Amino acid sequence: MRAGFEKKITVLMAAAAPCVLLGTVLLMVLAEVPYQTVMILLLASGLMSLLVFGNIVRYVNQNNTLQERLALAQKGKDIVTGLPDESEFLARLDVECRRSLREFTPISVMLVGVSSERLAGTPAIHIAETLIRAVYRPGDMVSRISETRFALILPATNERAVELAERCLKDLRKLDNDETISIGLCTFQPAAGLTAAKAISRVGGLLEQAQTEGGDRVNATAEKQVDPSVIYTH
């Protein structure tokens, strides 16, 4: 409500500026002010109106961007990429771990880390788009869980997920970024003790190890299969 009211005010101000300018010129003409003075004041007023209008447009654009980001944050989305954020990722991971136990299917979790301390908007969007293109199944999930980390949940997927991780790394290398990309991956079997906390801790350790060893690599492991699993397919 408040945002809509502020937008109406800014539009009214922008519309009123030319009217005020024309009224001022008309009063000066009626008062028989010298022509040169009228033109100088007209030019100055016009420049001032353009400056005011430009500031109003910039304010409206910034306000719209802020409102869009706020709406994304309220929906559990990353404000830059629009991907699910950390809270939504953890909630979904908890569901998928319990589903894995109930349906007796494996689950693979992947973390993608960027060497930069802070990933700017455009590079983050490019990484998000690359990861989204890499997965094909409706049940898979790509998230951005921090400034420099992305996470993928791959339900009903066995150790063949390593091929997906290698493909992701290959595609990410093609991006015009100076950052080093590292990937940690683990395939979990439906055994007692499988929880979201255990999964993220295990995969986080694999990612950190890959980064410590210089990055630009996939560090993957898989638990011993307890039942014929479902492979990752296109």
Side-chain angles (χ1 to χ4, degrees), residues 95-226:
V95 170
E96 294 300 338
C97 284
R98 287 187 281 113
R99 191 196 307 276
S100 172
L101 294 173
R102 183 174 66 251
E103 299 180 358
F104 208 68
T105 56
I107 177 174
S108 294
V109 180
M110 183 191 309
L111 289 183
V112 179
V114 183
S115 60
S116 174
E117 293 183 359
R118 187 177 186 278
L119 195 61
T122 300
I125 292 173
H126 289 166
I127 291 175
E129 292 173 343
T130 300
L131 294 175
I132 290 172
R133 286 195 298 267
V135 296
Y136 300 86
R137 305 175 310 177
D140 298 336
M141 180 180 189
V142 181
S143 308
R144 189 185 187 195
I145 60 175
S146 73
E147 283 280 346
T148 58
R149 286 191 177 186
F150 295 79
L152 285 77
I153 301 176
L154 309 169
T157 307
N158 69 3
E159 67 276 7
R160 292 288 298 277
V162 175
E163 297 178 8
L164 172 65
E166 294 286 0
R167 187 165 68 249
C168 287
L169 183 59
K170 180 180 178 181
D171 292 342
L172 290 171
R173 284 171 177 161
K174 298 177 183 178
L175 298 178
D176 188 19
N177 294 333
D178 296 329
E179 295 83 2
T180 300
I181 305 294
S182 304
I183 295 178
L185 170 70
C186 185
T187 297
F188 299 91
Q189 298 299 328
L194 176 58
T195 63
K198 173 188 174 181
I200 195 66
S201 176
R202 180 86 174 274
V203 182
L206 292 170
L207 173 60
E208 291 172 3
Q209 183 180 350
Q211 293 174 323
T212 301
E213 294 174 353
D216 192 31
R217 67 189 65 197
V218 173
N219 188 17
T221 187
E223 295 180 346
K224 184 178 179 180
Q225 294 185 19
V226 294

